[in-house]
Amino acid sequence: MANYTQLPQQGGGPYPPPNQAGYPAPNQAGYQAAPGQGYPPQGQGYAPQGQRYPAQGQGYPAQGQGYPSQGQGYPAQGQGYQTGGYPQQGQGYAPQGQGYPPQGQGYAPQGQGYPPQGQPGPPPSGDIPKYTGEMPDEDPTDDPNVKEPTEATAPPPELPQSFPGYGYMAFDEASVPPPAYEDVAKEPPTREALPDFVHLNEEEAKGALTQYVSEHCCYGKGPLDMVIAEIKPSNAFHYKLESFCESRTTKWESEPYHGMGIAVTGPPPGPWQITVPVPEMFKESKTKVEVPNSAVVKPCHVCFARGFKRCFRCHGRGMLICNFCHGQGSRTDASGEPSRCISCHGNGRKKCYSCQGYGQKKCLSCQGFCHLKWFIQLTVKWKVHDDDHIVERTALPPELIKGVAGKTVLEEKAVRVYPINHFPDQEVNQASNELVGKHASKYSSEWILQQRHNLRVVPVNSVVYNYKGDTGNYFVYGMENKIHFPDYPAKCCWGCNVL
């Protein structure tokens, strides 16, 4: 074997003995001498071990040059490098694969389960962690009829149970009575005298009957030659009262807490102290508002601040026993031969289609944010309550009066209307007093914003006729001269050729 110390010097100085620190022996893995030169002399570009060149036979650069240390493949602790997107050890990140967010960035430190009050939980994303909690020992059988259970129907017990002016708070809406107010107007308004009506004549009575017969294909035209013996005019009265009311209800409501700011400057205002714009009068509508200063942030009581719930179908296992082959993986076809199950592809098991195999689903209440913002929700409803009364003293059915035009002789609108007391027909006056009093008591839990009432006079004429020796009558009513003639003497149900 050649003695390296006795080789000719090239560039000043002998070569070191073989296998000593800093220089490998010739032709060992990782280093080769320059062609025809062997190894360079000491001090001309080769550094001692650990400075620039790797240790003998390793083929790695020195530690600290931007490459990982010998045998590790990862940066040294505290150098600021991450592996595959994971943080360094001890920087507030969870160990690789556990899915915990960094400490202090709106998420809870590892092991706490939910963030401190005022900070959002993990944001919703498509990455659902695999369920690792309690689950059955075997995969359950797939039951397509199983329904997902509803969310909890009661607020968490640590919520404030009452606020001044709200009473006991719950999930169900509770009506809030309005402040006291005067039920009726104190002074009657000035009212005009009632107008006179022009009554029906014989020609108009026959013209209305002709139009009526033309609208019924099975009515013959013979009775149009009847003799009008008498026309008895009268008036029907239609009184209507409407109350436009506002009602307010309160209840606890929640929504996922995303970390938005919550300002509480004092106790919440009373339900009727909150200004809510009123929509168009006598038009029904509804709106919901959050009561100021009533918000509070609590861990989600549905998923226990985990953000996810165990799957109701597979109970956390992520797999189901195929209900098509009952876990056998095969079925017997019509010929009696076994064949691979097409539902599970012969596996006997299949991925749960409710949770896509994760074993858990995102909590519907907190949407994966782990916390809920609770607040008092004020629901304001505007509704029109109406009642009417018809005075009709002939044989004409009273309900027909509602569907025809009449002459409006009184129409008033006020915060509280005054009952009618000047009408010649006392039944109308009495009906107005009763309905106004009824609305004041029946809707005492609502605030009457405005009332209006009107009175229509509908003409009713009883026409007495003679036809082929028989005497009868029909009615012409309304401003349109509608006909009520149930006993028309020439009608049939088998054709239209009637004399």
Side-chain angles (χ1 to χ4, degrees):
M1 185 174 181
N3 188 350
Y4 289 93
T5 58
Q6 297 178 0
L7 291 175
Q9 295 184 4
Q10 299 183 15
Y15 289 94
N19 302 325
Q20 291 189 5
Y23 297 88
N27 300 324
Q28 290 188 3
Y31 294 88
Q32 297 179 0
Q37 295 186 9
Y39 288 79
Q42 183 175 359
Q44 293 194 13
Y46 287 77
Q49 180 179 359
Q51 295 184 12
R52 291 185 58 189
Y53 293 87
Q56 179 176 355
Q58 298 297 319
Y60 292 93
Q63 182 177 1
Q65 299 299 318
Y67 296 91
S69 57
Q70 179 176 350
Q72 295 183 4
Y74 296 93
Q77 180 175 351
Q79 296 298 318
Y81 293 92
Q82 299 182 4
T83 60
Y86 290 90
Q88 305 167 25
Q89 183 179 356
Q91 296 300 315
Y93 290 76
Q96 180 176 353
Q98 294 190 14
Y100 289 91
Q103 181 177 358
Q105 295 193 12
Y107 301 3
Q110 179 179 353
Q112 292 191 8
Y114 55 86
Q117 181 172 341
Q119 297 185 13
S125 67
D127 298 331
I128 302 177
K130 187 75 175 179
Y131 180 75
T132 57
E134 181 181 354
M135 65 181 74
D137 296 333
E138 296 182 357
D139 296 334
T141 301
D142 179 19
D143 185 358
N145 297 320
V146 174
K147 303 296 183 181
E148 186 168 6
T150 58
E151 300 293 345
T153 57
E158 66 269 15
L159 288 176
Q161 295 301 309
S162 65
F163 285 105
Y166 288 88
Y168 180 81
M169 295 298 302
F171 255 0
D172 299 327
E173 290 188 351
S175 178
V176 183
Y181 57 85
E182 293 292 335
D183 291 337
V184 297
K186 294 181 179 181
E187 298 293 336
T190 302
R191 288 162 172 162
E192 299 179 355
L194 300 179
D196 295 329
F197 285 89
V198 178
H199 297 294
L200 194 71
N201 57 39
E202 182 177 338
E203 182 179 357
E204 292 171 334
K206 283 193 173 183
L209 182 61
T210 301
Q211 178 64 30
Y212 173 74
V213 171
S214 68
E215 296 172 355
H216 295 76
C217 64
C218 295
Y219 281 21
K221 297 182 179 180
L224 295 178
D225 296 330
M226 67 177 58
V227 177
I228 303 298
E230 183 183 7
I231 298 178
K232 299 177 180 179
S234 65
N235 292 315
F237 307 109
H238 182 203
Y239 173 75
K240 185 176 182 179
L241 170 66
E242 295 177 282
S243 295
F244 183 61
C245 299
E246 176 182 313
S247 64
R248 300 193 173 193
T249 58
T250 58
K251 71 170 186 175
W252 277 115
E253 189 57 86
S254 64
E255 62 182 27
Y257 178 61
H258 301 273
M260 54 282 188
I262 295 178
V264 178
T265 59
W272 289 95
Q273 295 175 340
I274 300 173
T275 302
V276 181
V278 180
E280 181 181 350
M281 287 290 182
F282 297 97
K283 183 177 180 180
E284 296 189 356
S285 60
K286 180 175 72 173
T287 188
K288 297 179 180 180
V289 297
E290 178 183 335
V291 174
N293 296 333
S294 67
V296 60
V297 177
K298 295 292 182 180
C300 180
H301 64 294
V302 177
C303 65
F304 302 101
R306 290 193 295 263
F308 296 91
K309 293 181 63 179
R310 189 178 72 166
C311 178
F312 68 96
R313 192 175 302 279
C314 66
H315 307 298
R317 293 189 61 85
M319 299 295 291
L320 298 169
I321 297 177
C322 178
N323 63 343
F324 197 63
C325 66
H326 304 289
Q328 300 300 316
S330 63
R331 289 175 55 88
T332 303
D333 57 20
S335 63
E337 296 294 329
S339 61
R340 190 176 69 164
C341 177
I342 61 175
S343 179
C344 64
H345 305 289
N347 296 320
R349 303 290 190 274
K350 57 185 179 180
K351 182 187 296 184
C352 177
Y353 48 88
S354 291
C355 65
Q356 304 305 315
Y358 291 103
Q360 61 182 348
K361 301 179 67 176
K362 187 179 295 183
C363 177
L364 297 178
S365 295
C366 67
Q367 292 297 311
F369 284 91
C370 301
H371 274 59
L372 294 174
K373 171 190 172 184
W374 288 92
F375 59 92
I376 299 178
Q377 179 177 273
L378 176 67
T379 301
V380 184
K381 298 179 182 179
W382 293 276
K383 190 172 183 180
V384 179
H385 301 289
D386 62 87
D387 281 290
D388 58 1
H389 183 84
I390 295 174
V391 179
E392 165 52 30
R393 295 186 174 90
T394 70
L396 181 71
E399 61 270 13
L400 297 179
I401 298 300
K402 293 183 180 182
V404 295
K407 177 67 175 179
T408 300
V409 297
L410 182 143
E411 189 171 24
E412 294 174 345
K413 184 187 297 184
V415 176
R416 304 290 181 273
V417 297
Y418 198 88
I420 295 176
N421 60 355
H422 73 301
F423 200 69
D425 194 302
Q426 290 303 313
E427 185 176 346
V428 173
N429 296 335
Q430 181 181 354
S432 177
N433 275 275
E434 289 178 354
L435 292 183
V436 169
K438 172 186 175 181
H439 279 217
S441 59
K442 185 176 182 180
Y443 308 117
S444 60
S445 62
E446 305 175 29
W447 183 279
I448 300 179
L449 299 176
Q450 197 169 65
Q451 290 181 319
R452 65 184 180 188
H453 61 173
N454 66 74
L455 177 63
R456 296 187 309 124
V457 179
V458 178
V460 177
N461 296 273
S462 177
V463 180
V464 181
Y465 68 89
N466 293 317
Y467 178 67
K468 293 183 178 182
D470 294 329
T471 299
N473 75 296
Y474 65 92
F475 294 95
V476 182
Y477 65 101
M479 304 294 288
E480 312 96 320
N481 288 338
K482 291 283 187 178
I483 296 291
H484 178 67
F485 201 167
D487 300 324
Y488 186 73
K491 60 182 179 179
C492 67
C493 59
W494 61 86
C496 299
N497 297 322
V498 180
L499 296 178

